[in-house]
Amino acid sequence: MNDLEMYREQLGLCDDKIIDALVERNSIVEKIMTYKETYGMPILQPRQEEKQRARLEEKLVGNKYKDEIYDVFRRILKNSKRIQARKLFDYNIVLIGFMGAGKSTISDYLSTMFAMDIVEMDQVIANREEMSIPDIFATYGEEYFRDLETNLLIEMQSHKNTVISCGGGAALRERNVAEMKKNGKVVLLTASPETIYDRVKDSDDRPVLNGRKNVKGISELMEQRREKYEVAADIVINTDNKTVLQICEELVQRLTETDED
């Protein structure tokens, strides 16, 4: 055996060790998830993730392969999150609620913590139509837009572990709600009219608020929609005066409880 063959043999042995280590690591990730569920511990622990990152940085100080190893570990961490998501949710999470209730913020955070895909329905529809939502309403009407929502919800039923953030009016159509239920669990995010106003007052991309972008107008429209929202929801979470972490912890806990019922 010449030197080149020897190096290749050593490389193969290293690859075998890496595979064995990754299998063991992924198994430990699943054991940690089971432990947290068994003892009622918070599933989301961003501080622990920071500790892991700090430990890695300390370990790689002065290492000439630091950038390459960082790149590998970023992928390992992302896959660990996917394993957690698969264990928790073998379905899509559909977020509904009034505009400004926090759907985009919560979907972004869930994606970060669990490496889940996000589908922002309004954004996807606007991109496909090459028009803003207000322009779609003005040009084709609301019924046309709702049809686009329905078709996208049907399309998403072939996906799993995806967070689907719906536009504020999506749950008002019974057909849309039926298609949401086929995707997975429907989570209604709520907030007070005052909170909603504070979140949307500077936005011009809310066609249904034209002429009533104030607390009174928002309150009236929310009350008109409240019953349909609540009928559509599997769980309801109020977002007032809560951090994103607190909201997501409650969401995960409540979804886990519904799975056990």
Side-chain angles (χ1 to χ4, degrees):
M1 179 184 296
N2 60 35
D3 287 348
L4 180 58
E5 291 173 338
M6 179 184 68
Y7 295 148
R8 286 172 173 166
E9 182 69 21
Q10 291 174 346
L11 190 62
L13 292 173
C14 284
D15 289 344
D16 289 343
K17 290 178 183 178
I18 292 171
I19 292 170
D20 292 341
L22 289 174
V23 170
E24 182 179 4
R25 190 185 193 283
N26 291 343
S27 175
I28 292 170
V29 169
E30 291 187 330
K31 289 176 181 177
I32 290 172
M33 290 294 295
T34 300
Y35 187 93
K36 288 179 179 179
E37 291 177 316
T38 301
Y39 292 99
M41 298 175 64
I43 299 297
L44 301 174
Q45 295 184 322
R47 289 184 181 178
Q48 180 61 30
E49 188 174 318
E50 288 300 320
K51 285 174 62 177
Q52 289 176 313
R53 186 175 290 108
R55 183 174 180 272
L56 180 61
E57 290 177 357
E58 182 180 350
K59 182 79 172 176
L60 292 178
V61 170
N63 192 303
K64 67 178 180 178
Y65 304 117
K66 181 173 72 174
D67 290 342
E68 290 79 9
I69 294 174
Y70 266 134
D71 184 58
V72 171
F73 264 85
R74 278 193 292 269
R75 177 60 62 178
I76 289 173
L77 179 59
K78 187 171 185 178
N79 285 331
S80 294
K81 292 178 177 180
R82 285 176 172 165
I83 291 169
Q84 294 179 59
R86 284 202 304 268
K87 191 172 191 321
L88 286 169
F89 319 115
D90 61 347
Y91 48 80
N92 295 329
I93 298 174
V94 184
L95 301 179
I96 65 170
F98 201 79
M99 62 194 76
K103 299 184 294 291
S104 295
T105 300
I106 298 307
S107 60
D108 285 344
Y109 194 82
L110 287 173
S111 175
T112 298
M113 296 307 295
F114 292 116
M116 300 174 75
D117 293 331
I118 300 176
V119 171
E120 288 276 359
M121 288 187 59
D122 281 357
Q123 181 178 332
V124 171
I125 290 171
N127 290 343
R128 289 179 176 180
E129 294 293 303
E130 298 182 341
M131 300 175 70
S132 69
I133 302 302
D135 285 346
I136 295 174
F137 269 68
T139 305
Y140 300 111
E142 182 174 357
E143 192 69 14
Y144 176 84
F145 178 75
R146 299 301 171 205
D147 287 340
L148 296 176
E149 288 181 322
T150 301
N151 293 334
L152 182 54
L153 286 165
I154 293 171
E155 179 184 330
M156 292 312 301
Q157 290 163 22
S158 62
H159 296 240
K160 284 186 178 181
N161 295 126
T162 298
V163 183
I164 303 172
S165 179
C166 299
L172 303 181
R173 179 189 261 198
E174 289 186 13
R175 173 71 188 282
N176 281 354
V177 174
E179 301 305 338
M180 290 176 190
K181 298 286 190 181
K182 295 175 186 177
N183 269 283
K185 299 294 176 65
V186 181
V187 179
L188 169 60
L189 301 180
T190 66
S192 69
E194 291 77 12
T195 298
I196 296 294
Y197 173 72
D198 189 58
R199 293 173 179 172
V200 306
K201 62 185 178 182
D202 297 322
S203 172
D204 295 322
D205 197 24
R206 315 283 183 174
V208 298
L209 285 184
N210 289 341
R212 51 182 168 185
K213 192 187 288 186
N214 51 64
V215 172
K216 183 177 182 294
I218 289 171
S219 180
E220 291 172 350
L221 187 55
M222 289 178 70
E223 183 57 30
Q224 291 173 19
R225 296 182 172 190
R226 180 177 58 82
E227 184 176 354
K228 289 190 175 181
Y229 280 159
E230 292 176 353
V231 168
D234 293 302
I235 63 172
V236 181
I237 297 177
N238 183 273
T239 64
D240 283 322
N241 303 314
K242 296 176 184 175
T243 66
V244 176
L245 177 58
Q246 288 172 331
I247 296 166
C248 288
E249 283 179 341
E250 182 179 348
L251 185 153
V252 172
Q253 180 181 351
R254 297 276 301 282
L255 286 178
T256 303
E257 290 170 354
T258 62
D259 291 339
E260 294 172 353
D261 292 341

